[in-house]
């Protein structure tokens, strides 16, 4: 497997494609943004004006797209039937489980192998090749996908059947949203009750309050780990994207008849935050509401 088509060169996809080039793959890149294409050319990718042109002759197709509707449209109109028969498809977008399974079924009917492989780690990890991939698909498909995903990752984990990667992603990000809100509430309470936020961080980060939002992505400016909070909550993981992921999780919970009261409350909190004009701010900026 030598040639990879990469579809979607946004904040995440651009860095991912660049790491595939570093690993020795020939990368055919496509994005609607000319600026993204120019950056991809600077990283060593060959760029194309259409998806169909990018996937022609590719051994594998990797996509990183905004939502399920776009994923379905791109694959059904410009990838399936345009990429060589037998090519491997890896969709790394975060989308709903039903669409992931539907697109994979259509691909397999047409003679392709497909996995859903959403990621965790954010923009810095995408650029640094240290993402975690949660992969849904057969054991055979997972084995085919590993060599493509490893140059972009710190971990590649087989979650189970097709769609299982999306299940893992929606559960993980719902948990992350809940952790972030709880971390922000605790730090705000500590400050208002007379305990310096830095001192609370030093104590809780080594106690049972330990969690990633506190220890590795501290949402308070000037406290703990360096994070978007230290840059006026710019960069990082946009609150609008967290709201989107929470919506996927709540929809998934309804489909599975699962009770997720904290997840539903987190959705309400981020919905109000985004609707107040904060969608582009990092999701840790929820601290500013407290």
């Amino acid at each position: 497997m030598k040639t990879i088509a990469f579809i979607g060169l946004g904040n995440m996809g651009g860095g991912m494609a660049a790491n595939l080039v570093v690993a020795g793959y020939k990368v055919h890149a496509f994005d609607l943004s000319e600026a993204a294409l120019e950056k991809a050319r600077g990283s060593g990718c060959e760029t194309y004006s259409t998806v169909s042109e990018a996937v022609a002759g590719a051994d594998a197709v990797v996509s990183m797209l905004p939502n399920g509707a776009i994923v379905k449209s791109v694959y059904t109109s410009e990838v399936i039937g345009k990429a060589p028969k037998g090519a491997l498809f890896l969709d790394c977008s975060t989308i709903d489980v039903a669409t992931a399974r539907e697109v994979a079924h259509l691909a397999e009917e047409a003679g392709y192998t497909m996995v859903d492989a959403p990621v965790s780690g954010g923009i810095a990890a995408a650029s640094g090749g240290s993402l975690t991939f949660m992969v849904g698909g057969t054991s055979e498909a997972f084995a085919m996908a590993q060599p493509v995903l490893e140059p972009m990752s710190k971990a590649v984990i087989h979650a189970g059947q097709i769609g299982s990667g999306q299940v893992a992603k929606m559960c993980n990000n719902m948990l992350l949203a809940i952790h972030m809100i709880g971390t922000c509430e605790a730090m705000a309470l500590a400050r208002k009750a007379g305990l310096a936020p830095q001192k609370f961080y030093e104590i809780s980060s080594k106690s049972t309050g330990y969690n990633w939002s506190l220890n590795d992505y501290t949402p308070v400016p000037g406290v703990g780990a360096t994070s978007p909070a230290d840059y006026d909550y710019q960069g990082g993981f946009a609150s609008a994207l967290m709201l989107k992921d929470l919506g996927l999780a709540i929809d998934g919970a309804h489909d599975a008849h699962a009770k997720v009261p904290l997840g539903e409350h987190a959705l309400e909190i981020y919905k109000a935050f985004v609707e107040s004009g904060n969608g582009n701010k990092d999701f840790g900026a929820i601290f500013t509401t407290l």
Side-chain angles (χ1 to χ4, degrees):
M1 190 179 295
K2 297 180 180 179
T3 302
I4 297 174
F6 204 107
I7 314 303
L9 304 167
N11 290 334
M12 299 290 290
M16 293 165 69
N19 281 314
L20 289 172
V21 173
V22 171
Y25 288 106
K26 183 178 181 180
V27 178
H28 294 181
F30 172 82
D31 196 273
L32 293 173
S33 165
E34 180 54 41
L37 291 174
E38 183 176 353
K39 186 175 180 181
R41 286 191 288 270
S43 298
C45 300
E46 295 181 16
T47 60
Y48 293 80
S49 58
T50 69
V51 172
S52 299
E53 291 173 336
V55 303
D59 300 299
V61 177
V62 179
S63 53
M64 193 61 157
L65 299 166
N67 59 56
I70 293 174
V71 169
K72 182 177 178 180
S73 174
V74 167
Y75 273 90
T76 56
S77 64
E78 299 186 78
V79 178
I80 296 173
K82 306 298 193 301
K85 285 290 179 68
L88 172 66
F89 297 163
L90 307 91
D91 181 39
C92 298
S93 318
T94 297
I95 64 174
D96 61 286
V97 177
T99 298
R101 289 176 175 161
E102 179 185 3
V103 173
H105 177 70
L106 293 171
E108 289 164 4
E109 280 190 330
Y112 302 95
T113 299
M114 188 165 188
V115 298
D116 62 298
V119 306
S120 177
I123 297 170
S127 297
S130 56
L131 294 167
T132 294
F133 287 87
M134 315 160 204
V135 186
T138 65
S139 296
E140 294 77 14
F142 176 71
M144 292 173 64
Q146 276 187 290
V148 178
L149 298 176
E150 283 174 349
M152 304 181 283
S153 72
K154 67 176 180 181
V156 180
I157 302 169
H158 190 197
Q161 65 179 342
I162 195 74
S164 296
Q166 299 296 347
V167 174
K169 179 63 185 287
M170 73 180 186
C171 293
N172 180 78
N173 276 24
M174 183 180 74
L175 181 60
L176 175 60
I178 293 168
H179 276 172
M180 179 57 80
I181 294 168
T183 295
C184 290
E185 288 185 354
M187 296 198 82
L189 172 60
R191 183 180 64 183
K192 291 181 178 181
L195 178 64
Q198 177 63 32
K199 190 57 63 177
F200 173 73
Y201 167 83
E202 292 173 11
I203 294 167
S204 191
S205 65
K206 295 177 177 60
S207 302
T208 52
Y210 173 103
N211 70 84
W212 185 86
S213 294
L214 174 67
N215 285 61
D216 301 295
Y217 208 81
T218 317
V220 181
V223 177
T226 300
S227 76
D230 299 300
Y231 305 98
D232 195 29
Y233 299 99
Q234 299 303 307
F237 184 52
S239 294
L241 293 178
M242 177 55 84
L243 178 61
K244 169 206 162 189
D245 288 1
L246 281 167
L248 292 174
I250 300 309
D251 288 344
H254 292 163
D255 291 342
H257 305 290
K259 294 182 178 179
V260 287
L262 286 179
E264 289 175 345
H265 192 41
L267 176 70
E268 293 172 0
I269 290 171
Y270 274 102
K271 185 173 186 291
F273 188 60
V274 169
E275 289 178 349
S276 296
N278 300 297
N280 289 328
K281 291 185 177 180
D282 178 74
F283 81 115
I286 203 72
F287 176 77
T288 63
T289 67
L290 300 169

